[in-house]
Amino acid sequence: MARLSDVIEEFIKSMLESSDELKLQIGRNELANHFSCAPSQINYVLTTRFTVDKGYYIESKRGGGGCIIISRISCSCNKNLLDIIIEKIGDSITYNSAVQIIDGLFEADIISDREVDILKAVINDRNFTEFVDNRNKVRANIFKSAIIVIFNEN
């Protein structure tokens, strides 16, 4: 049985896919009522499942009942997205965090299946057996270099 967070995530993603726009405007309280949950549950899903590294940008509007605008990051803002991803990678990154970024880029149609496979192979822990103490730092440097090359070709 799927967790409520998974159900909410899939519901929002299906709304985004059925929309002609790259943006979706929803009311947090209305969504919470729809799923019979607390608004904080909606916040949790938005902050953990719809992040920049997964290809989404969230805006919160106050007043008039308030709403949340979820935008898919499109390829037209690749330079800005590249800067955000490089900052997110930072000086050190775990394999799982890097995979989240890769999967988000794929989900946003920014990288191909092949690029996903290559990136995951390159950043795999098996490649860093000689750098056990510094593997996350080495991974970050390699990952940033590969992402820059990919973005410069797109």
CSV table of all heavy atoms in Angstrom, one decimal, residues 15 23 30 45 66 105 148:
chain,number,residue,atom,x,y,z
A,15,MET,N,-1.4,16.1,-12.2
A,15,MET,CA,-2.0,17.4,-12.5
A,15,MET,C,-1.1,18.2,-13.4
A,15,MET,O,-1.5,18.9,-14.3
A,15,MET,CB,-2.4,18.1,-11.2
A,15,MET,CG,-3.5,17.6,-10.5
A,15,MET,SD,-3.8,18.4,-8.9
A,15,MET,CE,-4.3,20.1,-9.4
A,23,LYS,N,3.4,25.4,-15.4
A,23,LYS,CA,3.1,25.8,-14.0
A,23,LYS,C,1.8,25.2,-13.6
A,23,LYS,O,0.9,25.1,-14.4
A,23,LYS,CB,3.0,27.3,-13.8
A,23,LYS,CG,4.3,28.0,-14.0
A,23,LYS,CD,4.2,29.5,-13.7
A,23,LYS,CE,5.5,30.2,-13.8
A,23,LYS,NZ,5.4,31.6,-13.5
A,30,GLU,N,-6.9,23.3,0.2
A,30,GLU,CA,-7.8,22.5,-0.6
A,30,GLU,C,-7.3,21.1,-0.9
A,30,GLU,O,-8.0,20.1,-0.8
A,30,GLU,CB,-8.2,23.2,-2.0
A,30,GLU,CG,-9.0,24.4,-1.9
A,30,GLU,CD,-8.3,25.7,-1.5
A,30,GLU,OE1,-7.0,25.7,-1.5
A,30,GLU,OE2,-9.0,26.7,-1.2
A,45,VAL,N,5.5,17.1,1.4
A,45,VAL,CA,5.6,16.5,0.0
A,45,VAL,C,6.2,17.5,-0.9
A,45,VAL,O,7.1,17.2,-1.7
A,45,VAL,CB,4.2,16.1,-0.5
A,45,VAL,CG1,4.3,15.7,-2.0
A,45,VAL,CG2,3.7,14.9,0.3
A,66,GLY,N,-4.3,32.2,-0.4
A,66,GLY,CA,-3.0,31.6,-0.6
A,66,GLY,C,-3.0,30.5,-1.6
A,66,GLY,O,-4.0,29.8,-1.8
A,105,LEU,N,16.9,15.5,-13.1
A,105,LEU,CA,17.2,16.0,-14.4
A,105,LEU,C,16.6,15.2,-15.5
A,105,LEU,O,16.1,15.7,-16.5
A,105,LEU,CB,18.7,16.1,-14.6
A,105,LEU,CG,19.5,17.2,-13.7
A,105,LEU,CD1,21.0,17.0,-13.8
A,105,LEU,CD2,19.1,18.6,-14.1
A,148,ILE,N,28.7,19.9,-16.1
A,148,ILE,CA,29.0,21.1,-16.9
A,148,ILE,C,29.1,20.7,-18.4
A,148,ILE,O,28.6,21.4,-19.3
A,148,ILE,CB,30.3,21.7,-16.4
A,148,ILE,CG1,30.0,22.4,-15.0
A,148,ILE,CG2,30.9,22.7,-17.4
A,148,ILE,CD1,31.2,22.8,-14.3
